[in-house]
Amino acid sequence: MARQRQGQLHLGAFIYFTGHHHAGWRHAESGVEQMFDINWYKRIAQTAERGKFDMIFFADLLHLIYPNRAAAGMLDPVALLSALSVVTEKIGLTATLSTTYNEPYNAARRFATLDHLSGGRAGWNIVTSQVDTEAHNFGRAKHPEHATRYEMAKEFVDVVTALWDSWPQESIVMDRASGTFADESKFNKADYSGQWYSTNGLLNVPRPPQGYPVLIQAGSSGPGQDFAASVGEVIFTAQTSLTAAQSFYRTVNEKLIGVGRERGSLLIMPGLSPILGSTEEEARRKERELLDLIDPQEAVMMVSGMLQTDLSGYPADGPLPDIPDPVEASNGMKSRVQLIMDLARKDNLSIIELGRRLLGARGHMQFVGTPEQLVDLMEQWFDGYGCDGFNIMPPVLPGDLDDFVDHVVPVLQRRGLYREEYEGSTLREHLGLAKPSIDHFKKLVAKA
């Protein structure tokens, strides 16, 4: 049968603790004992590279969550990926960094360094953080409001890209005879003064090999989509049905046109958490094993926390009660709260069923079945313009990533949906993204 869409899909390996399933760390095959060991991450990164993934992606949280029941604690992702850059050759290296609790100069320097160390494989997942607990760790009483955080983020990215542009590679002379290291006439001093951030100087790391590390945004709310359309090159999102994914795909591309960008210039990659088996029965058995590790009380607490409503007094096996609009009330991930409400209504889930679903893949799409069935779904979403690829979220690490690479990637390759070898060496080349020219600084001056 002829393919409905030309091209191939993109894949990210989303690494989160010892797997995305909330109780996955308790599974006998998890690598929880090694989760702070560089050799464990080396194995995971090299497995993803063997599977020809576009990138490996590390999330980041700036607080300790559920220390008694979940695998908790995170190594600094930029530092970790810098170490992994020397034991990998091709795979992109993407890290989350919050614009709310960092300074633009430090962010620009860290990602420019990672891009140089890796030979042009860095990506920055731009987030605004989520909860007051993070604010407390930085001496602040409260997390900034949702809309304010995105205003801050836009300005933060403007400053960072200006700093990346400030020391062009072509200015580096290194003339021993004359004693000239760099031609200062080619510098682009980053002179920026905004409401939230300002800088007046030069970055002390030359412009990254990719121009800019790939700019990625994770968030699907209205302000998140607007922000991604203005600065993003990839968006990580969460849809659980093809219809919702197609609607999101259309909306984002319309926003691109509205800001003068080309349709398709922002790659859309929803999360996908697969539980695989050689048969459906085997996959369902694995799913039951993981579900059995979730405490029912935890499932109710999860829904209560996400919806900011105490549900402990309601029947756990009953439906969600009528509660004040949790999307309006949320100052965290508004798009994720909306997705949770839509999921509960669409599938008529009880409180405990909803909690277990969320703890299984944190609100992202979860798949249970065989590799061939999974590829059928991925092909349907890709050909139906529901996405440009997927952020694969293994429920338990390292085994579920091994299974995907060993059993799903070959099927994708046979169907022509995915590369058999890397054709380039940079993350931008993997994703088909152009290297940005040095013109962002001029745009900033024009705005002033």
Side-chain angles (χ1 to χ4, degrees), residues 23 83 104 161 169 172 181 211 215 226 251 274 277 285 291 374 413 419 421 439 442:
T161 51
Q169 287 282 352
I172 301 176
F181 183 84
L215 300 178
D226 292 339
T251 299
R285 177 185 57 76
L291 285 175
L374 176 57
Q413 292 169 333
R419 68 170 64 89
E421 293 294 340
D439 58 2
K442 296 176 184 176

Side-chain angles (χ1 to χ4, degrees), residues 57-222:
F57 162 50
F58 288 98
D60 194 25
L61 298 172
L62 299 175
H63 65 120
L64 187 64
I65 60 170
Y66 309 123
N68 295 321
R69 300 296 300 176
M74 285 183 165
L75 298 175
D76 179 277
V78 180
L80 177 57
L81 289 171
S82 295
L84 295 178
S85 71
V86 300
V87 295
T88 55
E89 296 180 355
K90 299 285 188 178
I91 194 166
L93 306 169
T94 297
T96 292
L97 184 137
S98 170
T99 57
T100 307
Y101 300 111
N102 281 284
E103 288 295 328
Y105 193 95
N106 290 339
R109 189 176 186 224
R110 292 171 71 190
F111 277 101
T113 298
L114 177 59
D115 209 46
H116 279 282
L117 292 177
S118 64
R121 294 187 281 138
W124 173 21
N125 179 44
I126 307 163
V127 303
T128 65
S129 290
Q130 303 172 17
V131 294
D132 287 345
T133 311
E134 293 173 288
H136 300 163
N137 286 338
F138 290 85
R140 305 182 193 180
K142 185 175 175 56
H143 197 41
E145 292 300 317
H146 189 265
T148 300
R149 296 201 307 271
Y150 277 105
E151 292 173 7
M152 295 170 65
K154 178 63 170 64
E155 201 169 283
F156 192 107
V157 174
D158 283 346
V159 177
V160 168
T161 51
L163 286 165
W164 283 335
D165 284 341
S166 66
W167 186 4
Q169 287 282 352
E170 55 269 27
S171 72
I172 301 176
V173 179
M174 296 185 184
D175 187 335
R176 288 182 172 87
S178 67
T180 303
F181 183 84
D183 181 352
E184 296 181 18
S185 68
K186 295 181 180 179
F187 289 171
N188 296 311
K189 190 176 182 181
D191 187 3
Y192 183 96
S193 180
Q195 180 180 358
W196 306 102
Y197 303 104
S198 62
T199 189
N200 184 12
L202 302 164
L203 192 65
N204 64 350
V205 179
R207 195 168 194 253
Q210 294 185 103
Y212 304 157
V214 174
L215 300 178
I216 301 168
Q217 205 272 326
S220 305
S221 65

Side-chain angles (χ1 to χ4, degrees), residues 397-438:
L397 288 167
D400 286 338
L401 181 62
D402 293 335
D403 286 347
F404 188 93
V405 169
D406 292 337
H407 302 296
V408 178
V409 169
V411 181
L412 289 169
Q413 292 169 333
R414 285 197 297 271
R415 295 193 193 180
L417 283 162
Y418 200 62
R419 68 170 64 89
E420 295 190 12
E421 293 294 340
Y422 290 107
E423 295 181 0
S425 298
T426 70
L427 180 53
R428 288 188 172 276
E429 288 173 323
H430 302 339
L431 297 172
L433 299 172
K435 178 179 178 177
S437 60
I438 298 182

